[in-house]
């Protein structure tokens, strides 16, 4: 597989909103087929690293859905969305600035600690099973605009997750992957049991 040709093809199937920040980088030395680091707020670029030697062992639909899932996860991480924890981080930082201007060491420590706790909570939310499930669903929606039916897209993503475990030499799927697979089986019509809807 010629990495540059495949990168161009993958960029074409990406949602337009992701093309400005998401970059696909060939990384033949990595043991994972596809990987991306958690995007920190000061990093504008959100690279996706692909080992194209291993990538080539997947089918084209599996590759499409894996990329769309990873892109959906990356663009789903929003540090500056107006929500509770983002507001707490901002208030903590502002409080820290005010307290430091007044030379109040205790106030700076409290404000900084508050910001750190809220930032950790944002990070945990985006590393959770729910964020992976949301990324799966977003990938299936985008795949629908690329010619895949919902059932096909779910089936391809399911088989891709299982294929990655074999190619990378994992003895079994981890808990998060098992949850994702069960949800995808239900969407693909392969299992009557899906995940319970959250209240």
């Amino acid at each position: 597989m010629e990495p540059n040709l495949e990168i161009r093809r993958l960029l074409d199937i990406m949602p337009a909103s992701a093309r400005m920040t998401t970059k696909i980088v060939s990384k033949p030395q990595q043991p994972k087929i596809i990987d991306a680091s958690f995007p920190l707020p000061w990093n504008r670029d959100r690279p996706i690293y692909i080992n194209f030697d291993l990538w080539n062992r997947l089918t084209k639909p599996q590759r499409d859905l894996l990329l769309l899932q990873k892109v959906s996860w990356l663009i789903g991480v929003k540090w500056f969305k107006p929500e509770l924890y983002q507001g707490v981080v901002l208030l903590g930082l502002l409080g820290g600035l005010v307290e430091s201007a007044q030379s109040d060491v205790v106030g700076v420590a409290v404000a900084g600690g508050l910001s750190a706790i809220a930032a950790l909570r944002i990070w945990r939310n985006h590393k959770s099973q729910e964020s992976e499930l949301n990324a799966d669903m977003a990938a299936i929606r985008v795949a629908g605009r690329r010619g895949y039916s919902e059932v096909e897209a779910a089936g391809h993503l399911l088989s891709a997750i299982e294929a990655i475990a074999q190619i990378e030499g994992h003895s079994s799927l981890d808990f998060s992957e098992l949850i994702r697979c069960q949800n995808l089986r239900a969407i693909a019509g392969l299992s009557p049991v899906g995940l319970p809807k959250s209240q």
Side-chain angles (χ1 to χ4, degrees):
M1 175 181 289
E2 171 53 45
N4 290 330
L5 291 175
E6 179 69 354
I7 287 171
R8 279 200 294 276
R9 187 187 76 76
L10 294 172
L11 288 171
D12 284 341
I13 66 165
M14 251 191 224
S17 59
R19 290 182 194 147
M20 296 297 287
T21 56
T22 308
K23 297 190 181 332
I24 300 171
V25 179
S26 175
K27 196 170 182 185
Q29 69 275 20
Q30 79 178 8
K32 290 186 169 186
I33 293 175
I34 184 169
D35 196 19
S37 299
F38 184 78
L40 296 171
W42 52 84
N43 292 342
R44 187 178 182 278
D45 290 338
R46 299 181 174 199
I48 296 173
Y49 301 103
I50 298 177
N51 180 334
F52 284 100
D53 295 332
L54 300 176
W55 185 252
N56 192 35
R57 294 166 66 179
L58 299 166
T59 66
K60 181 176 167 283
Q62 288 174 335
R63 297 192 308 255
D64 290 353
L65 267 296
L66 277 176
L67 178 83
L68 291 175
Q69 194 276 343
K70 197 61 76 177
V71 167
S72 297
W73 177 74
L74 282 172
I75 63 176
V77 176
K78 301 205 186 314
W79 281 95
F80 302 110
K81 191 167 62 172
E83 288 183 351
L84 175 65
Y85 292 111
Q86 284 82 349
V88 172
V89 169
L90 185 60
L91 286 174
L93 291 174
L94 289 173
L97 290 173
V98 169
E99 297 299 329
S100 67
Q102 296 176 356
S103 300
D104 183 356
V105 177
V106 173
V108 170
V110 169
L114 186 63
S115 286
I117 290 168
L120 181 64
R121 182 69 184 160
I122 294 169
W123 182 80
R124 280 189 178 158
N125 283 346
H126 290 299
K127 295 289 279 184
S128 67
Q129 290 168 12
E130 186 177 351
S131 71
E132 291 282 344
L133 291 168
N134 290 340
D136 289 348
M137 296 308 298
I140 290 169
R141 281 193 300 276
V142 174
R145 298 192 293 269
R146 304 295 185 263
Y148 294 98
S149 72
E150 183 180 75
V151 169
E152 287 174 333
H156 292 310
L157 186 52
L158 170 64
S159 66
I161 293 168
E162 293 169 342
I164 281 180
Q166 285 187 326
I167 293 168
E168 292 179 356
H170 303 177
S171 57
S172 63
L173 298 175
D174 67 27
F175 183 72
S176 178
E177 290 166 335
L178 289 171
I179 295 288
R180 291 174 61 205
C181 286
Q182 184 57 44
N183 191 48
L184 292 168
R185 276 191 194 90
I187 296 167
L190 301 172
S191 170
V193 181
L195 295 181
K197 301 283 186 217
S198 57
Q199 299 298 323

